[in-house]
Amino acid sequence: MSANAIWYVSPKKGSNVKVLVCKDYDILSRRAAALVASVVADDPKATLGLATGSSPVGMYQNLIKLYEDGILDFSKIKTINLDEYYPLDPSNDQSYHYFMNDNLFDHINIDKNNVHVPDGNAADINKAAEEYEKLINDNNGTDIQVLGIGQNGHIGFNEPADTFVGPTHVVELTESTIKANSRFFDKIEDVPTKAISMGIAGIMKAKKVLLVANGENKADAIAKTLEGPITPHVPASILQLHPDVTFIIDEAAASKLQEYRPE
Ligand code: F6R
């Protein structure tokens, strides 16, 4: 084990979540890329569930590097992204579709016909959600689902609520999410107030889950997710029930964990 990343385990009965605490964002990004790379290398036709946001950007850069170095081949890889703002045209530079092209797809040999991002511009958004759910199910879920986490514990755009929502659905974004995401827009009024998101069922169907988080502003959400009760008020807490989930986080994001012990 290297000193710049340490595995932690939960003493909580029944929790399978493995946590790798990395010294910094650079190490985190490399370790996360290595996990995704192992899935691509094991199955060149794998389906990757992907996330946007700032957390996985470094991981995507490392995956691009592995492609450029001739180590990874994405030509037969399929992707299914978590979410998209609604309404927003995919060509808008704030759309998640644009983000994925810019941060990954335009730099690797992926076939764009195999890339799937929810349609934030659909005339009938509920129908688009149904079709996206069918895509996930026809594919039998993803081989690995990459997740970031919101400061309020959201995964995808599954916001805190009284119940978990299973299928892909249209979401009313919370104030906390709109505020957090306004950093990418000129002004807060420009942030769309709705989104279309894969639901909890689609996420939990993944064979493996990888959650990446960095920074002190994620420490509360990480502690509640891993050490608190499983509740729809902290949507990521459902991951305690997934059989193969790895959190790769930095020291700041791990700073409020009480129960996790070095392996
Ligand atoms: C993005 C997504 C969101 C983000 C979360 C964290 O596709 O589904 O759940 O992962 O909001 O965002 P960052 O990484 O920007 O802090």
Side-chain angles (χ1 to χ4, degrees), residues 50-56 81-83 96 147-150 154-157 181 183-184 218:
L50 298 178
T52 62
S54 48
S55 310
N81 257 77
L82 278 172
D83 45 15
Y96 284 175
L147 299 171
I149 186 169
H154 74 212
I155 44 176
F157 273 135
N181 290 5
R183 69 191 192 278
F184 300 114
K218 298 292 171 71

